[in-house]
Amino acid sequence: MSAGPELPRRRFLKVLAGTAGALVVGVGYAETRLPVPPAMLGDDFGRLGAYVRIDRDGNVLIGARDPDTGTGTATSLPRIIAEELDADWTRVTVVQLGLGVEAKNGKPVWTYGHQRSGTGDSIPAAWADLRQAGALARWLITQAAARRLGIAADRLRCEAGMVVTPDGRRFPYGSLVEAASKIDPPNAPLPLKPPQRYTLIGQPAGDVDARNIVTGQTRYALDAHYADALVAVLAQCPWPDGSLASIETASALAVKGVAKVMPINPEPDVPPGETAIAPAVAVLAENTWAALRGLAELKLEWKPGPASAGEDSGKLEAQALALLDTDSAPTTRVRDEGDLKAASRKAARRVEATYVQPWLAHATPEPMNCLVRLDKDQATLVVPTQAPKQAWAVVQRLTGLAPDRIAIEVPRVGGGYGRRLDHDYVAEAVMLAKAVDKPVRLMWTREQGLTHDYYRSGTVHKIKAIIGRKRRVIGWEQRMASASALTGRGVAADRLWTSEVAADQLPAGLVPAYRNDWYSLASGMPRGLFRGEPHVTNAFAVESFIDEIAHTLRENPLDTRLRLLGEPRQLALPGGGMLDVGRLLNVLKLVTDRIEWKNWLHNVNGMGVACWHIDGAYVAHAIEAAVHGEKLEIVRVVCAVDVGRVINPLGLQGQVAGATLDALSNALDPAITFKNGQVQQQNFKDYPLASMDQLPDDVEVILVPNDRAPTGASFLAMPTAAPALANAIFRASAVRIRRLPMMKELLRLL
């Protein structure tokens, strides 16, 4: 085994011979104990972190490094490697990799590089460094064939798991792997395939886990167990900063199978998401039934804490409205360009509106859970997480173990939406395992998931537009108030706005005078990152407001948008990157053409449109809706996305459709409210997700062909769905939705 082509962060691709002469290409710094699935390496597992294993029978195993929370990374990332390998995809098996961590001078070194999901950067990161793994395996196979056949390697070609000679003879990879595993890899990066030779990238592929999911064979973290593990369930304090006033445990301990009842508390001065979310009492038992019965027998009294006792979502909204109506200095001036006063002097018309959006919960299908075993010098966990490195940090802090003595396995995850970027449930499981000196399987209930979440803050937006001559928007002033998701997480005070608003969001850069201010709300309610933020709440306000400008000007809202965007051009963004107005115009044109926007004026139903951009990707929605009495019908939904090169069109189509439905569901009915510091919603009966009857029968997805480097897309379709629907509702009913949840507001105004 020797070092080969260099990857970012000083990682090196390495090669070894696996079981029965298999060729294994992986990554590592030195001889280490990485948590590599044995299937990848056979009797050599532990020697390096593997990306690719090719067996003598021609079967190929490829490791997927990022957790798959439903975003399709278990399919798309291996296909990036398989493309460079020229593998036969029908003979590829994907293996989910655990966290790759080594120890170097007592510090962790992340062997696999990027291991994070649901944040929109899995594909760009993989595109940057995983292709070399496939290219190295293909190079070794080709070299082995060249030496055996006495033919120069550059005269051979590879296709579908075969090396092909100039005279057409074909040699399966499996027949060459033993020889290939003995060849030293090159020290320099290898040339990558030209796009015109792609056979997998850009071609549709079903999700590698789909069959197991629909047949119930997928194993989630909840399915993992140790025979000697205790099941732990919690009774949590209703107030995050509250405390236990009294407890009676005799009845709980009398339940057959209950082993222990013990309190756990958040550690002081530890950031949210890294310790218990609230004080709790744990019941540990031999099985789930006994644990839940014991929990029901507990007699507890809690008392509120000083920060959350008086929390009231209604009062917080009133504070936000009052704050935005004053001329008080904002917490942060996010962006300020041009001269608003000068623009005001040229005003022909003015438009102003306020938009209110509620607090939301993540509502993951799979509740929080964690299986942990703590041995003398080793921790082993099975965790449904979006960020294994952050889970590792929690375990390391609580156990003090060396970096490479913490193994984290990440099975398929039942939804993340940002909730599993926090690891309070991991901390709770480790605390309990340390206390009882036995393996622990912690399980939350659905109710706990809703009442003890890191919520998306409610937001209030107030926007003013100045309209000059020729109907041009010459001034734009936007104010937003919210409680930052980053408070208490070690983020500098002058950066707390970054979880709430994007400095480059529309229409920044398109209006001569533009100002965007953020006002901080103080709240003791837990907050965290949320799917699609900070774009979703801002896009709803901005894209709804542009529709209001169009109505004020008595014109087609598409014309208003086209005039605001202007000619195709590229605008440098202050934070780096470019806004390609031409690509944004293109997705707008695609959806309006598909939905036949030409009929906007005379259609008996209403049509709405919205567009947005996120980190070099572009999206637009056009929606047709009808209002029948008190019933809303979403007749048709069209979404176009431009994400650069598409790795898996079928997977991207699913991501766009899923994000659209998720965004519509979040907008229609659910809202988290709290009084006296206690969340009022308990389960889906009072936090309703959209039913199939409320959602469209289909989401028509248009993928823009593009050969630019791929961008992320897991939440790209989230920001524009709700404003497009709200704009369609206005056209259908003359009811302007400025407050979510949408159905409650619609029924109030009809």
Side-chain angles (χ1 to χ4, degrees), residues 55-69:
D55 286 332
R56 294 178 69 177
D57 62 5
N59 290 324
V60 178
L61 284 83
I62 299 181
R65 67 182 184 184
D66 288 4
D68 195 329
T69 59

Side-chain angles (χ1 to χ4, degrees), residues 222 364 366-370 384 419-420 424-425 442-444:
L222 280 170
T364 60
E366 179 187 4
M368 301 305 110
N369 66 94
C370 178
R419 175 61 178 90
R420 299 183 201 278
D424 48 303
Y425 56 103
L442 174 68
M443 301 172 61
W444 281 33

